[in-house]
Amino acid sequence: MLRYLTAGESHGKAIIAILEGLPAGIKVDASKINQELKRRQSGFGRGKRMAIEKDTAVILSGLKRQVTLGSPITLLIGNKDFSIEKLPKVLYPRPGHADLAGLLKYGLTDAREVLERASARSTAATVATGALCKILLQQFNIRIASRVLAIGGEDTGAGMMEKIKEAMINKDTVGGVFEITACGVPVGLGSYVQPDRRLDGRIAGEIISIPGIKGFEIGLGFGYVENFGSQVHDAIYFSKSKGYFRQTNNAGGIEGGISNGEDIIVRACMKPISTLMSPLDSVNITNKKSAKAAVERSDICVVEAAGVVAEAALAFVLADAFLEKFGSDSLKDIKLSYQNYLKRIK
Ligand code: EPS
């Protein structure tokens, strides 16, 4: 139903996204997109690039008088730091980054040509398209939020700040865990009929594709294995006012690859950023001699920003699954179809 492509290098002219499949008739408040872009740029531990850029999206197509036409929406986020032609070569690949694997794969001789596109700067495009998906979902009272659960193993606010400061002092980086929740999701998004239609698989695929994400779980996740089945499955109840309901949500809102009407709760972990100011061992790709890895301007901790990107990823999957279930051309038709469905399952 919904698909998107992004383009752009970290220090190229701009980052671009094209989102296709959003229905006609949605009023788009561009300030909402820019608010999300600003959230992505924030958080303690962000690097100097964030002081340069003030990410804002210019909408180039798909809207007339701020209302969607059903045609592809093109978003452009200009880079203030447009310096790709002037930047020095990177000859010492950074462990953890795409540098070495990318060089070998594409037959390049300068890791700069890899890192410009592999950079997490492309997530600005993900967030801008996610903001459009959120605007659609809000029409149906579906809301998505994220929060940081831990940084470097610390789970209190003060502990997390200390970890980031410690990394900063030691010229190091630090990762962490974040959680994303979607409230108001109706029962019935996704399906068990084919593996590629399962909602959990689709969410996992989008979130694990965010640069730096190394782990993912839904609901109780890895916690399931510490308990017996009788302790973890969410018993089913019914009341006239609520309809079917649960008293627990260990499933994280998904059973059999389908949303079950409870909040969708997913967690992911982000590894520490790969660019280290005190670099690890690497190899000079020209003469193959041992050397320290390249040092680039970078961030110390971006777990909070990764949560914002993951919100966008979740918004994209839910919007896609929603349009698949309720129609995809006109917002009016989708609203009618949704109301009919709610009546039927009551
Ligand atoms: C990023 C922009 C980048 C990095 C970061 C994410 O800007 P620059 O490379 O000019 O400092 O701050 O990307 C990485 C750390 C990475 O490893 O790719 C952004 O806009 O989010």
Side-chain angles (χ1 to χ4, degrees), residues 95-96 172-176 212 270-276 299-303:
D172 217 322
T173 59
V174 64
M270 170 171 242
K271 68 182 179 181
I273 289 274
S274 319
T275 308
L276 302 177
D299 307 85
I300 293 153
C301 180
V302 289
V303 178

Side-chain angles (χ1 to χ4, degrees), residues 11 40 46 49-50 97 119-121 273 297-299:
H11 306 96
R40 191 200 73 93
R46 278 302 231 157
R49 180 78 186 267
M50 293 307 113
H97 223 292
S119 164
R121 177 124 192 89
I273 289 274
R297 177 180 62 200
S298 190
D299 307 85

Side-chain angles (χ1 to χ4, degrees), residues 115-136:
L115 71 89
E116 279 295 330
R117 181 62 187 153
S119 164
R121 177 124 192 89
S122 69
T123 60
T126 312
V127 168
T129 53
L132 288 169
C133 297
K134 279 187 178 181
I135 291 172
L136 166 72

Side-chain angles (χ1 to χ4, degrees), residues 99-110:
D99 297 357
L100 184 59
L103 278 168
L104 296 172
K105 176 178 170 68
Y106 290 101
L108 302 170
T109 52
D110 171 7

Side-chain angles (χ1 to χ4, degrees), residues 184-195:
V185 181
V187 61
L189 303 191
S191 177
Y192 50 79
V193 300
Q194 288 296 343

